[in-house]
């Protein structure tokens, strides 16, 4: 395991470095302290050709100006909070809104817009390397109560696992439901779409959305619908369907409830038959939001090329979005004295 660092860009007059962990299998992950943004994952395909398998902007300016969330840590709460409000300890909390009167992905100054402290570490036996990010989010930031200490660790192992560990504490009751917004494109070429990727999910229920992309609060069975990924099938088969939950969005942007099948079991996988690359994931969270990058983007380019529709797909593990306002979606409130802890593992392989 090797760690290297290089100049990436400037933020508020500070030099921002990009840190890269590279294992002896030719897999590497890179990230920067701004937003704890994962700037690249490189893996070999079945012919041994290494290429980036994630969707990432080219520079910090595009991250700041357009905030596409590519590769960023999302929080304090992932997804949307309806009307930017919720009940907590018997009162209504109003948080800062940033999308049509709702709060999206932690608000206008979400965790993806903050400068994190970074430390690096390599296991003495070389079996793993770590990028450790820390950020203290003050009470009132984006309208949330509680001073929070947040730590996110990216570990790359010699067995090709990328492990994301989140831990956090607060000095006042506050919601916390972070996720990671990595987009995968396993072709290694972002000018290709992900529609031929095969997705498998250990899920039998999804959360339908309102017109504002908020969960309606219901959970529906996937069986017999395009949302059924219990057997691997192409992303395109779902995305291009005429289903009333899919057609208006031009694709998927839906939470899937993960059916728990014990510890250390795979919760889902994404496979690209052309390159042979596969990503399997496992998580201790209850759901995964699958977003298929349903629009082309003209605001910025990647390596000089426009960003096409379906350029990537997310596997955003989290508790169900808008849980604060949806009875039955679970409790995401962190108590003072408690330590929040969660883990998601993405494992890279070939078939
Ligand atoms: C998330 O669910 C949301 C999308 O609606 C949003 O557009 C994207 O992040 C940036 O996955």
């Amino acid at each position: 395991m090797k760690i290297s660092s290089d100049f990436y860009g400037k933020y508020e007059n500070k030099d921002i470095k990009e840190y890269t962990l590279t294992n002896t299998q030719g897999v590497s992950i890179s990230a920067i302290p701004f937003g704890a943004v994962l700037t690249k994952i490189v893996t070999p395909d079945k012919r041994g050709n290494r290429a980036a398998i994630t969707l990432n902007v080219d520079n910090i300016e595009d991250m700041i100006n357009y905030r596409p969330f590519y590769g960023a840590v999302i929080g304090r709460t992932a997804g949307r909070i309806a009307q930017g409000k919720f009940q907590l300890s018997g009162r209504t909390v109003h948080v800062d809104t940033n999308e049509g009167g709702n709060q999206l992905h932690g608000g206008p100054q979400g965790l993806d817009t903050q400068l994190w402290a970074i430390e690096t570490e390599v296991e003495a036996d070389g079996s793993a390397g770590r990028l450790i990010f820390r950020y203290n989010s003050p009470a009132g930031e984006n309208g949330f109560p509680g001073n929070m200490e947040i730590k996110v660790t990216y570990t790359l192992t010699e067995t090709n696992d990328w492990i994301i560990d989140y831990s956090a504490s607060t000095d006042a009751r506050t919601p916390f439901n972070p996720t990671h917004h990595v987009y995968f494109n396993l072709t290694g070429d972002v000018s290709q779409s992900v529609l031929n990727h095969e997705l498998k999910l250990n899920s039998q229920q999804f959360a339908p959305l309102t017109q504002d992309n908020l969960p309606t609060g219901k959970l529906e069975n996937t069986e017999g619908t395009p949302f059924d990924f219990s057997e691997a099938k192409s992303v395109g088969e779902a995305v291009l369907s005429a289903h009333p939950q899919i057609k208006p969005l031009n694709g998927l942007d839906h939470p899937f409830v993960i059916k728990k099948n014990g510890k250390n079991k795979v919760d889902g996988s994404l496979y690209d038959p052309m390159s042979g690359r596969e990503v399997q994931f496992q998580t201790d969270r209850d759901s995964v939001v699958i977003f298929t990058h349903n629009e082309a983007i003209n605001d910025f380019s990647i390596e000089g090329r426009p960003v096409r529709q379906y350029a990537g797909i997310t596997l955003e593990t989290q508790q169900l979005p808008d849980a604060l306002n949806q009875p039955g979606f679970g409790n995401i409130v962190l108590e003072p004295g408690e330590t929040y802890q969660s883990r998601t593992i993405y494992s890279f392989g070939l078939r």
Side-chain angles (χ1 to χ4, degrees), residues 68-69 80 104-105 181 183 213 253 289 291 316:
F69 301 111
R80 294 171 176 84
L104 173 65
H105 289 338
H181 216 296
Y183 286 83
N213 291 351
D253 190 4
V289 172
F291 179 55
E316 301 165 56

Side-chain angles (χ1 to χ4, degrees), residues 204-219:
Q204 294 174 342
Q205 286 182 307
F206 75 102
L209 304 177
T210 67
Q211 279 181 348
D212 294 335
N213 291 351
L214 277 147
T216 61
K218 295 201 186 95
L219 295 176

Side-chain angles (χ1 to χ4, degrees), residues 74-86 99 102-106 144 175-181 203 205-210 212-219 245 249 252-258 285-291 314-333 340:
I74 303 294
R76 298 182 183 188
T77 59
R80 294 171 176 84
I81 299 177
Q83 295 171 37
K85 63 179 185 187
F86 52 89
E99 193 198 60
N102 302 314
Q103 187 189 83
L104 173 65
H105 289 338
F144 288 104
F176 191 61
N177 184 20
T179 190
H180 202 280
H181 216 296
S203 170
Q205 286 182 307
F206 75 102
L209 304 177
T210 67
D212 294 335
N213 291 351
L214 277 147
T216 61
K218 295 201 186 95
L219 295 176
Q245 273 288 319
L249 297 178
L252 296 173
D253 190 4
H254 294 79
F256 289 77
V257 178
I258 293 171
R285 301 296 88 191
D286 289 343
S287 73
V288 60
V289 172
I290 308 289
F291 179 55
T314 66
L315 305 169
E316 301 165 56
T317 57
Q318 58 193 263
Q319 299 305 94
L320 284 164
D322 204 28
L324 293 163
N325 294 306
Q326 301 297 349
F329 274 21
N331 175 28
I332 61 162
V333 175
Y340 173 95

